[in-house]
Amino acid sequence: MPFWVHKIAETKWRQNRVFEGEDFSADAITSMRTRNNTLSMWEIANPSQLDDATLAIISAGDKLDSIDVVMLDPIDIIHAGLLVEKTEGRTALQGFTAKHYDIEELTYTSLGTVAQIIVNAIGNDRTERYTIAHLKRLLRAAIDAGRIRPNDLNEGIKSKL
């Protein structure tokens, strides 16, 4: 079963009482980090490929920090009527740029729909926390395997390796 993976700040979601039926906090919503009314996601065929999606996310970043990722069910997103487009992804992970999707034309209302899908995924334990040490191991292994070229990484990430 495929999943679409997105970076979140799980603590911002869990500090709310959304799991008890209360409203989402602004911090949780803004942690989704939309850009140009889109939300970026990476496709994996199954949870065993979660490290690859995480590498795709972090290798495009400017710095290396612990992160949380959430696995979203594409069926939930499509059934919610959200507009999804396959787009060229920006990542240093070789061969992964074609596995990128965007939820597009997000609005106040549709962002709330995405937030509910994220809450459901968190409630179903479809999240993973990656520490800096774990991310360093993943990056070094990907570099050693030739899946990431060090020169393709931003200085903020290279300096942490």
Side-chain angles (χ1 to χ4, degrees), residues 13-69:
W13 291 91
R14 291 206 181 267
Q15 74 188 9
N16 296 279
R17 296 174 60 125
V18 294
F19 297 97
E20 298 169 23
E22 291 191 13
D23 203 359
F24 306 104
S25 77
D27 288 345
I29 297 289
T30 58
S31 77
M32 286 193 274
R33 302 191 67 161
T34 61
R35 185 175 190 175
N36 296 325
N37 299 317
T38 65
L39 188 75
S40 175
M41 305 175 296
W42 294 92
E43 183 178 57
I44 57 174
N46 57 62
S48 69
Q49 296 177 328
L50 187 58
D51 288 351
D52 287 343
T54 303
L55 277 169
I57 292 167
I58 64 167
S59 68
D62 295 328
K63 59 184 180 174
L64 196 59
D65 288 319
S66 296
I67 66 166
D68 302 296
V69 293

Side-chain angles (χ1 to χ4, degrees), residues 1-6 8 10 14 47 50 69-74 76 117-128:
M1 169 179 177
F3 288 100
W4 286 333
V5 179
H6 180 70
I8 61 168
E10 187 173 354
R14 291 206 181 267
L50 187 58
V69 293
V70 62
M71 291 181 288
L72 306 173
D73 188 335
D76 293 341
I117 292 169
I118 289 173
V119 165
N120 293 343
I122 292 170
N124 288 319
D125 294 321
R126 292 196 316 249
T127 61
E128 187 72 36

